[in-house]
Amino acid sequence: MLALEHPRHRGGPSRGSGRPDVPVQATAARRTVVRADGEIDIATADALRDRLCAALTEHAEVAADMSAVTFIDCAGLRALLAARAFADRHGRHLVVHDPSRPVQRLLTWTRLDPHLRTTR
C-alpha cells in the first residue's frame, strides 16, 4: 500500500478549530482518499475543492472523507458540487465518505444527498 502526504493548506482565518486538514492518501493505483478536518467555510472551501480536483486528475476514484468535519456551510457544499462536476466531466468518480452529522444534515436539508453519493 502506498501512502502520500500532501502539505496542508495555510490560507486565511476560519472560525473555531482552524484549518481543514486536507491530506491526500493513496490507497491503490486508481483510488485515493482526501480527508477534511474541522470547518469547511468560505475561508477553506477552495482548498478542499482544489485538493479533490487534483486527486481526481490523478485517480479514477476519489473518496472525500468528511467524518471529522465539525462545520460546513454553502461554500463547502459548493466545493463538493464543483468537485463532483469536475469528476463527471473527466469520467471519474467522487464519493462523500462517512459524512459527519453537520455534513449529512446540510446534504439532507438542501436535498442534494442524491446528487453526492455517500458511503460509510
Side-chain angles (χ1 to χ4, degrees):
M1 186 181 305
L2 174 68
L4 302 171
E5 288 288 320
H6 291 269
R8 293 180 184 193
H9 172 71
R10 300 280 184 216
S14 76
R15 293 185 296 272
S17 64
R19 300 274 115 248
D21 182 14
V22 191
V24 176
Q25 203 171 17
T27 57
R30 291 185 42 154
R31 184 174 188 152
T32 193
V33 176
V34 176
R35 186 172 186 273
D37 286 334
E39 299 178 351
I40 308 298
D41 59 15
I42 195 166
T44 59
D46 288 347
L48 177 62
R49 183 203 62 226
D50 293 347
R51 295 289 177 150
L52 290 170
C53 290
L56 286 162
T57 299
E58 297 180 22
H59 302 277
E61 298 176 24
V62 173
D65 182 346
M66 305 295 280
S67 61
V69 173
T70 57
F71 173 84
I72 186 169
D73 65 6
C74 61
L77 184 58
R78 187 176 60 244
L80 291 173
L81 291 170
R84 163 78 196 294
F86 181 90
D88 290 348
R89 281 192 312 272
H90 293 88
R92 307 296 175 123
H93 300 282
L94 175 70
V95 297
V96 176
H97 178 69
D98 199 14
S100 65
R101 188 172 181 179
V103 174
Q104 187 60 56
R105 186 179 309 140
L106 183 61
L107 293 176
T108 301
W109 284 348
T110 58
R111 297 184 180 170
L112 289 171
D113 43 348
H115 301 283
L116 288 166
R117 195 177 93 188
T118 59
T119 61
R120 289 272 173 201

